[in-house]
């Protein structure tokens, strides 16, 4: 079970912190970025996310799961 991972809407997270914090594989994050579901920016080799973008993505994913039921 994953412990809570606080996401501040105004904070900036990198790919590795998000992967570890949420327990999501880098491949899953890559698919979410590629599909356009998860906003991101690239700074050199780093992939960065604004906390609000992460929250939007998680809420969107939760809505999709509840709609599928």
């Amino acid at each position: 079970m994953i412990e809570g991972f606080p996401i501040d809407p105004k904070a900036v997270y990198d790919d590795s912190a998000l992967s570890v914090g949420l327990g999501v594989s880098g491949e899953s994050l890559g698919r979410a970025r590629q599909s356009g579901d998860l906003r991101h920016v690239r700074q050199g080799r780093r992939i960065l996310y604004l906390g609000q973008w992460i929250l939007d993505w998680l809420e969107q994913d939760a809505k999709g799961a509840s709609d599928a039921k």
Side-chain angles (χ1 to χ4, degrees):
M1 185 164 145
I2 301 172
E3 289 190 32
F5 177 66
I7 299 173
D8 179 347
K10 295 184 181 196
V12 176
Y13 299 85
D14 69 6
D15 212 37
S16 61
L18 189 57
S19 180
V20 170
L22 294 179
V24 177
S25 71
E27 292 80 16
S28 292
L29 293 174
R31 284 192 298 273
R33 288 191 308 269
Q34 194 168 25
S35 71
D37 291 335
L38 178 57
R39 284 181 66 183
H40 67 285
V41 295
R42 288 189 181 269
Q43 293 292 323
R45 294 182 141 190
R46 293 182 74 191
I47 300 171
L48 303 173
Y49 309 90
L50 188 59
Q52 186 60 56
W53 300 343
I54 299 165
L55 294 171
D56 292 344
W57 172 59
L58 293 172
E59 288 174 9
Q60 175 186 357
D61 198 42
K63 284 181 186 177
S66 67
D67 291 345
K69 290 183 179 181

